[in-house]
Amino acid sequence: MKKLIALLLALSMVFALAACGGGSTPAPAADQPAADAPAVEEAPAAEEAPAVPETVVHETTGTEPQYGGEATVYYPKFYNYFDPSMMDEYQFAFWYETLWVMDWGLNDAETFAFDAGSIPVEYLAGQLAVDRGEFDEEAHTLTVKLRDDVFFQEGEPYNGRAFTADDVVWSYSRLLGLGDYAKVDTEYDWGRALDMLESVEAVDDHTVVFTFKPDMSTTVQLTNFMNAKVNIAGPEWDDCDQSDWHNAKGTGPYVLTDYVVDNSMTFTRNDNYYGYDERYPENKLPYIDTIKLVYIADSANILAQSMSGALDWFGENGKAVLSGDQLAQLSAADAGQLYAYNTSSPPAIALKIPQEPFSDIRVRQAMQLAIDLEAANIYLGNDGPVVVPGLWGPGLSWSTYGEWPAELEEEFEYNPERARELMEEAGYPDGFEFEVELDPTSNLDLYMLAASELKQNINVTMNVTVAAEMMEAVQHSQDMDDPRQSAGFAGGFPEYMLALMMTGSGEMPNSYGHDDQEYMDELASIGQASSADEQTAIAQDMDQQFPARHWAILVAGMQPNYDFMSNRIGGYTGEKVYYKDNMRTIWSRLWIEE
C-alpha cells in the first residue's frame, strides 16, 4: 500500500482535482502567465455615477483600503446560461443579487462561519431588501421593504433604470407560474424550494408582500423561503437575447464585460453600485476595478501561477485543485496564505442504484469495506482521524456523528475479508467490471487509488475516465440508463433541500436514482415541520439512514478545504470564499495592495 501511495503521489496531475488541504505559501516564478483572454471591453459608463469617496482607515485594524487594480481568480466551471432562474449563485452572483444575504457583520468563527447552505434567519441581512421584513404567521404574510437607491447596470436590457417591487414580483412569480406569469422552463425544482409561497404582490414601488400557504406559515418555512437564492432581475429579460452574455445585467457590484466560453469571465466595477463597506462605512463598494475569473485545466499550472503571484485566489471548496504534495510546496513559499476549513462533502463514487449489481446493498457494502479510507487520508496529507459523515455535516445540530451504533461504524472500516464474504453472498465471488466518469475537477489520483483497492480486494474492476468538460459529466450522471457511474458527494449536506435534490431520482448531478418513496417523503417532511425541534428529530433519524444505504461509496473521509489568497489582496480576514455562494459578498469588499 505504501508503494502504491508513493507511486500515485509521483504522478503528474493533468486535471483540476477534487478534495484536500495545506498551510501557508510559495515563491518560484511560473513559466506561464495567467490564462489568456481577449481584451476587456470598456464597461458602459454609468450616467452621473457617484465619485469614488476618499479611503477611510478602519480604526481597529489600521488597514488602508485601496481602489483600483485587477484580481485574477481561479474558477472551476462556467455556465453558458444567463437566466436569473439559476438556483445556486455561481458566477451569476457578480451581477445578480438576492433580497437577503449572509450578514457580513456577524462573520467570525465564534458566531457564524458563512459556510452553511441553510442559514438561520437571525444570521441573514437585507441586500435588496432593507432588512429581514415583518412576518405575520396569522395573516400568513411576509412584508418586505426594498431599498430605494438601487439601479440596474447600464446597457441593455435595463439601461440603468431604477429597481422596483415589480422586479421582485416578476423574479419570483415566473419561477412558480404565479398570477399571470407563465412558469419559466428551468432544470431546477423551484416548486420544491418555494412550495410555501402562494402569491407575491407589489404594494408600492418599494414594498412587496409574500403570502404563504396557510398550512406552511411557520418560522421554519420562513427560514426555507429566505434561504432560497432567487436572483432578482426584471421583465425586460423576457424580450432580449438570453443566450447573449452582453445582456447579463443586474444590480450587482460588477458588470460582465468579457466572456471566453468555458475559459474566463471578466468583470468590471459597477460605478453606480449602491453598497458601502460595513467595516469602513464611508467607503463605496466595490474596491477592485477588474476581477477576472479563469479556468486553469491542470494543477501544476495553478500551483505555478499561485507561486508567481499571477493567480490571486483559488479555493478547494469540496473540489480540491492541488494535491497534498502541491499544497505543501505552496505552503513553503511566500506568495500568500492558505486558510484551512472543514469540508462537509467528502468525495465518493455515486452509484446509480437501479442498475445491477448496485441494486444489491451487499455489493455496495462490500465496495465500501474494500476501500482503505485511512490510506486515502495519508495520501491527502492529513494526519487526523478519518471522519465519515451522515446525511448532514458533522458541525450541524442535525448530525448524529459520534452517536452511531457500532454496526454502522463498522461498515465504513477497512475490512477486505468481510467484503469478500458479502460479494460471495450477493453472487459476485469473481467480482465485476464497471465504468466511472469523473468531472474535470475531480481528484483522478484519489479515484485511481480506490480503483486499485477494489481490484485487489474484491476483484472489482473500476475503469476511470475523465469527461472533457463539466456539463458533459453532469449530463451523464443524470442519465440513469447510462452505464457510467460518477464522482459524487457522500452526505455531509448543509441543508435538507440540497439533500433532497442530491439523493433524488436523477434531477441533479450525482443523483443516485433510487426508488425509495418512504425515504424521500421523510426527508421532504423536514421542510414541512412546524418547529425547529420537530425538524431536528426527523433530521437526526435521516442522518443515519443515508450512510446505512451506501448509495455513495466514500473514497476518502471528510477533509480540510483550503482558500489561497495572494499577498496582493487586502481586506481578507479568513472568511471562507465559496465559489457558488458568497463570491460577490467577499470580493466586493477586498482590495489590491500594490
Side-chain angles (χ1 to χ4, degrees):
M1 178 57 67
K2 289 182 178 177
K3 289 182 180 178
L4 175 62
I5 293 172
L7 174 63
L8 289 171
L9 284 170
L11 293 174
S12 67
M13 301 180 109
V14 183
F15 302 97
L17 307 179
C20 88
S24 171
T25 40
D31 295 330
Q32 291 178 280
D36 292 328
V40 178
E41 293 181 34
E42 267 193 44
E47 295 180 12
E48 299 181 7
V52 175
E54 288 188 16
T55 296
V56 176
V57 179
H58 195 283
E59 293 180 0
T60 57
T61 64
T63 304
E64 184 176 323
Q66 300 176 38
Y67 287 93
E70 176 175 314
T72 302
V73 172
Y74 168 77
Y75 211 75
K77 59 182 176 181
F78 297 101
Y79 284 93
N80 303 316
Y81 175 80
F82 306 101
D83 192 279
S85 63
M86 199 68 167
M87 180 173 283
D88 286 314
E89 293 184 282
Y90 294 104
Q91 70 265 25
F92 305 95
F94 284 97
W95 72 86
Y96 285 134
E97 294 187 294
T98 53
L99 291 182
W100 301 281
V101 291
M102 297 171 282
D103 187 343
W104 176 265
L106 298 177
N107 187 27
D108 65 75
E110 299 301 319
T111 307
F112 190 69
F114 280 83
D115 60 359
S118 186
I119 304 166
V121 170
E122 59 266 30
Y123 295 124
L124 291 171
Q127 184 169 53
L128 293 176
V130 171
D131 52 30
R132 292 192 291 268
E134 296 182 10
F135 185 51
D136 188 330
E137 288 190 58
E138 292 186 5
H140 319 306
T141 57
L142 173 65
T143 301
V144 180
K145 293 289 186 181
L146 306 176
R147 297 183 65 108
D148 61 6
D149 57 352
V150 179
F151 293 85
F152 280 95
Q153 295 167 356
E154 290 293 338
E156 296 292 340
Y158 306 108
N159 296 309
R161 71 163 174 84
F163 156 72
T164 71
D166 288 335
D167 299 315
V168 177
V169 173
W170 177 85
S171 298
Y172 278 85
S173 296
R174 69 195 292 262
L175 299 179
L176 300 173
L178 297 177
D180 297 330
Y181 291 89
K183 185 177 180 181
V184 66
D185 182 20
T186 174
E187 63 185 275
Y188 293 94
D189 193 352
W190 284 106
R192 236 179 225 164
L194 298 173
D195 58 352
M196 74 295 290
L197 190 59
E198 188 169 88
S199 66
V200 53
E201 177 187 5
V203 176
D204 56 43
D205 281 351
H206 298 104
T207 309
V208 177
V209 174
F210 295 97
T211 300
F212 285 32
K213 295 173 183 175
D215 61 340
M216 301 182 78
S217 184
T218 66
T219 54
V220 168
Q221 290 298 338
L222 175 66
T223 299
N224 297 337
F225 174 74
M226 294 177 71
N227 274 286
K229 299 179 179 70
V230 176
N231 293 315
I232 305 298
E236 292 95 328
W237 178 255
D238 290 332
D239 300 319
C240 72
D241 182 354
Q242 298 176 7
S243 65
D244 186 349
W245 63 262
H246 294 86
N247 293 322
K249 299 290 195 301
T251 61
Y254 284 94
V255 183
L256 179 61
T257 50
D258 192 71
Y259 179 35
V260 180
V261 177
D262 296 330
N263 177 271
S264 68
M265 273 187 167
T266 302
F267 293 92
T268 303
R269 185 182 194 277
N270 177 11
D271 289 328
N272 204 25
Y273 189 57
Y274 61 87
Y276 284 80
D277 190 339
E278 298 88 341
R279 302 167 299 173
Y280 314 94
E282 297 179 37
N283 285 5
K284 195 82 162 16
L285 296 174
Y287 292 110
I288 300 173
D289 280 346
T290 306
I291 294 177
K292 187 172 181 180
L293 308 182
V294 297
Y295 174 70
I296 304 171
D298 65 278
S299 61
N301 197 1
I302 293 171
L303 175 63
Q305 293 193 34
S306 299
M307 294 174 74
S308 71
L311 186 64
D312 292 303
W313 176 86
F314 70 77
E316 308 268 77
N317 297 322
K319 293 285 183 183
V321 296
L322 298 184
S323 68
D325 184 52
Q326 290 171 320
L327 282 164
Q329 293 181 57
L330 187 55
S331 180
D334 189 26
Q337 181 69 39
L338 282 163
Y339 297 83
Y341 311 88
N342 288 327
T343 176
S344 60
S345 299
I349 304 163
L351 299 177
K352 297 173 182 176
I353 304 305
Q355 297 182 9
E356 294 184 357
F358 309 120
S359 55
D360 192 320
I361 190 172
R362 294 170 296 184
V363 170
R364 305 197 300 270
Q365 290 171 328
M367 292 175 67
Q368 187 61 75
L369 292 167
I371 296 174
D372 189 347
L373 299 179
E374 203 167 311
N377 226 32
I378 295 170
Y379 157 67
L380 291 172
N382 297 300
D383 299 326
V386 176
V387 179
V388 178
L391 188 62
W392 319 113
L396 300 181
S397 61
W398 291 352
S399 173
T400 62
Y401 182 76
E403 302 172 11
W404 290 5
E407 312 87 76
L408 181 56
E409 291 187 350
E410 288 170 1
E411 291 181 14
F412 290 87
E413 295 176 359
Y414 184 51
N415 191 338
E417 184 177 347
R418 177 58 180 152
R420 287 188 285 272
E421 290 174 0
L422 285 168
M423 289 290 284
E424 189 161 351
E425 287 178 22
Y428 297 95
D430 299 323
F432 55 85
E433 186 171 345
F434 74 107
E435 311 294 317
V436 168
E437 181 184 61
L438 306 180
D439 67 61
T441 67
S442 296
N443 187 326
L444 176 61
D445 288 355
L446 188 61
Y447 281 86
M448 292 304 295
L449 175 59
S452 69
E453 293 174 328
L454 289 172
K455 181 65 177 177
Q456 175 182 320
N457 293 323
I458 54 175
N459 199 32
V460 168
T461 301
M462 183 171 89
N463 299 313
V464 181
T465 57
V466 181
E469 56 99 23
M470 177 65 71
M471 291 312 296
E472 177 185 340
V474 169
Q475 290 165 1
H476 294 164
S477 71
Q478 291 175 329
D479 184 354
M480 292 299 121
D481 294 323
D482 193 308
R484 286 168 287 193
Q485 312 306 302
S486 62
F489 302 109
F493 298 111
E495 43 111 354
Y496 91 93
M497 274 303 304
L498 184 60
L500 193 63
M501 290 184 293
M502 295 295 284
T503 62
S505 58
E507 298 169 2
M508 289 289 288
N510 309 320
S511 178
Y512 308 99
H514 61 89
D515 184 16
D516 188 340
Q517 195 58 48
E518 183 178 347
Y519 170 89
M520 296 302 292
D521 288 346
E522 188 174 357
L523 187 53
S525 70
I526 294 173
Q528 298 156 7
S530 59
S531 70
D533 288 344
E534 184 182 347
Q535 271 195 315
T536 300
I538 300 169
Q540 288 184 341
D541 177 55
M542 300 302 296
D543 189 55
Q544 295 180 29
Q545 291 193 39
F546 177 78
R549 284 166 164 78
H550 295 280
W551 289 328
I553 308 302
L554 270 71
V555 296
M558 292 177 59
Q559 308 295 326
N561 279 343
Y562 293 84
D563 279 326
F564 166 76
M565 194 65 72
S566 79
N567 288 328
R568 300 176 64 245
I569 303 300
Y572 183 66
T573 55
E575 297 79 12
K576 183 176 181 182
V577 186
Y578 196 55
Y579 77 95
K580 75 178 185 68
D581 283 334
N582 61 355
M583 291 284 282
R584 166 194 57 223
T585 303
I586 291 178
W587 278 99
S588 64
R589 290 161 172 80
L590 303 182
W591 55 84
I592 305 294
E593 294 189 335
E594 289 184 322

